[in-house]
Amino acid sequence: MRILLVGKGGQVGRELQAPLAALGDLVALDRTTADLERPDDLAAVVRRERPDVIVNAAAYTAVDKAESEPDRARLVNATAVAALARAAADRGATLVHYSTDYVFDGTKAGRYVETDDPCPLSVYGRTKLEGEAAAAASGCRHWIFRTTWVYAPHGQNFVRTMLRLGRERDELRVVDDQFGVPTSARLIAAITADCIGRLAAGAPPPAGIYHLAPHGETTWCRFARTILAAARERRAFLRCQPENVVGIATADYPLPARRPANSRLDTTKLETALNIRLPEWQDDVLPVVAALAAESSS
Ligand SMILES: NC(=O)c1ccc[n+]([C@@H]2O[C@H](COP(=O)([O-])OP(=O)(O)OC[C@H]3O[C@@H](n4cnc5c(N)ncnc54)[C@H](OP(=O)(O)O)[C@@H]3O)[C@@H](O)[C@H]2O)c1
């Protein structure tokens, strides 16, 4: 099986490389060889690499910057996805693509299921939703994993930011009225590889959109306390203790892009399709905090 990975250097892209390489011939590209801001070039990349599966881990993920760069965000998150999906359809290849809880407005009382009406609040959310629609319209076999609050031991993410700020400051003020589920890039990569492995074995899960996140829920503030508590247990140097993380309201931390207050995703569809049980989010995050804390232990 030939697998083409686009966006190999991102949080999810990096975690995908080892499990995908174990499944077949992996060609992993970054923006120097597959630039999603040049969608017209992507069909030639796909023709050259002749993949059976295209995994698109690239995206315009600068949620706030997207408010002032909507055309660039749309080019990467929607136009390029349409081009990859068309190229996949032309070859009879499968497309794996990732989307976001930000396609929802967060006003639902419970967890979002795949069939809930999207209503994005931001340019990023709107362009990601357009990307989903483009993949579906292309007619290629596709899996779209909508995920949320992604972190990894590398890249730009909340876990690394909290550990850095926890070393620098005595107190942290963190939003406590947005609810969601932190998701490791490693979990996303493992589920992706599982699905592609089943495809290779002739028993792929049905095409379509799946919500992908661990079980449980938290707020950014409680997530920050969990990260610092786990780091403290591992003797990482910290100026800010978990008790000194102060909850604030979203309104007290204004940002250019609006975020949904409820990002909780129901993952029953994915767990049923794969006959698996996803982990609790705390179990998912601990290995990452442990690895990062070891780098800064006193
Ligand atoms: N991060 C989250 O909290 C979150 C939440 C929900 C859903 N998601 C979705 O999950 C997927 C993976 O996200 P992530 O967290 O791994 O993102 P990430 O760490 O920000 O990585 C994004 C990757 O996309 C690449 N990229 C950006 N513009 C590109 C272009 N024009 N051409 C080629 N590559 C380009 C980046 O390359 P450079 O390094 O060269 O810029 C980077 O490697 C995305 O679809 C994202 O929308 C993420």
Side-chain angles (χ1 to χ4, degrees):
M1 169 169 287
R2 287 180 65 81
I3 303 171
L4 173 62
L5 169 63
V6 178
K8 71 171 186 178
Q11 297 190 88
V12 174
R14 277 178 68 171
E15 295 292 334
L16 278 165
Q17 289 186 40
L20 294 189
L23 288 169
D25 294 334
L26 174 66
V27 177
L29 305 180
D30 60 17
R31 70 164 75 225
T32 60
T33 36
D35 185 353
L36 271 62
E37 284 183 54
R38 300 168 63 100
D40 293 344
D41 296 352
L42 295 172
V45 173
V46 171
R47 272 199 304 274
R48 186 184 68 224
E49 302 300 344
R50 297 177 290 108
D52 303 299
V53 179
I54 301 170
V55 181
N56 177 28
Y60 183 109
T61 55
V63 174
D64 291 309
K65 206 170 161 200
E67 295 296 312
S68 52
E69 288 192 342
D71 294 343
R72 231 179 129 194
R74 178 160 291 112
L75 200 57
V76 175
N77 290 344
T79 314
V81 178
L84 285 174
R86 269 197 309 273
D90 287 348
R91 280 197 55 73
T94 298
L95 175 71
V96 183
H97 180 62
Y98 304 96
S99 189
T100 169
D101 53 299
Y102 283 19
V103 300
F104 297 117
D105 65 10
T107 56
K108 186 176 176 177
R111 289 177 187 277
Y112 281 96
V113 294
E114 288 79 355
T115 48
D116 280 327
D117 285 337
C119 184
L121 300 172
S122 62
V123 168
Y124 170 73
R126 272 197 294 283
T127 58
K128 292 296 292 184
L129 184 60
E130 289 167 16
E132 290 184 5
S138 72
C140 73
R141 185 212 302 266
H142 61 276
W143 297 309
I144 298 171
F145 297 113
R146 278 191 194 139
T147 188
T148 167
W149 293 21
V150 179
Y151 60 87
H154 44 81
Q156 273 202 358
N157 60 67
F158 186 80
V159 174
R160 295 188 70 211
T161 300
M162 288 304 112
L163 289 172
R164 177 175 54 79
L165 294 177
R167 285 193 294 272
E168 294 172 359
R169 300 186 189 171
D170 297 322
E171 182 187 277
L172 297 179
R173 300 166 68 76
V174 184
V175 168
D176 201 22
D177 57 1
Q178 289 171 26
F179 292 81
V181 194
T183 307
S184 74
R186 179 155 292 187
L187 178 66
I188 297 167
I191 295 295
T192 302
D194 185 355
C195 290
I196 296 173
R198 290 171 195 243
L199 175 69
I209 296 178
Y210 291 92
H211 289 176
L212 168 47
H215 284 278
E217 65 178 73
T218 188
T219 66
W220 291 112
C221 176
R222 293 188 337 229
F223 185 22
R225 290 190 188 121
T226 302
I227 293 163
L228 295 188
R232 180 168 66 185
E233 264 183 39
R234 283 156 188 81
R235 297 170 179 275
F237 169 76
L238 291 174
R239 281 180 62 186
C240 180
Q241 301 304 314
E243 299 75 26
N244 303 121
V245 180
V246 179
I248 60 170
T250 300
D252 295 328
Y253 192 70
L255 290 168
R258 286 175 67 202
R259 270 82 170 157
N262 172 20
S263 284
R264 294 172 302 156
L265 301 177
D266 185 305
T267 55
T268 307
K269 182 180 173 190
L270 180 65
E271 291 181 298
T272 305
L274 299 184
N275 192 23
I276 56 162
R277 165 95 187 160
L278 289 159
E280 298 298 317
W281 72 264
Q282 293 93 333
D283 295 333
D284 197 31
V285 79
L286 280 178
V288 174
V289 177
L292 291 170
E295 290 171 11
S296 66
S297 57
S298 52

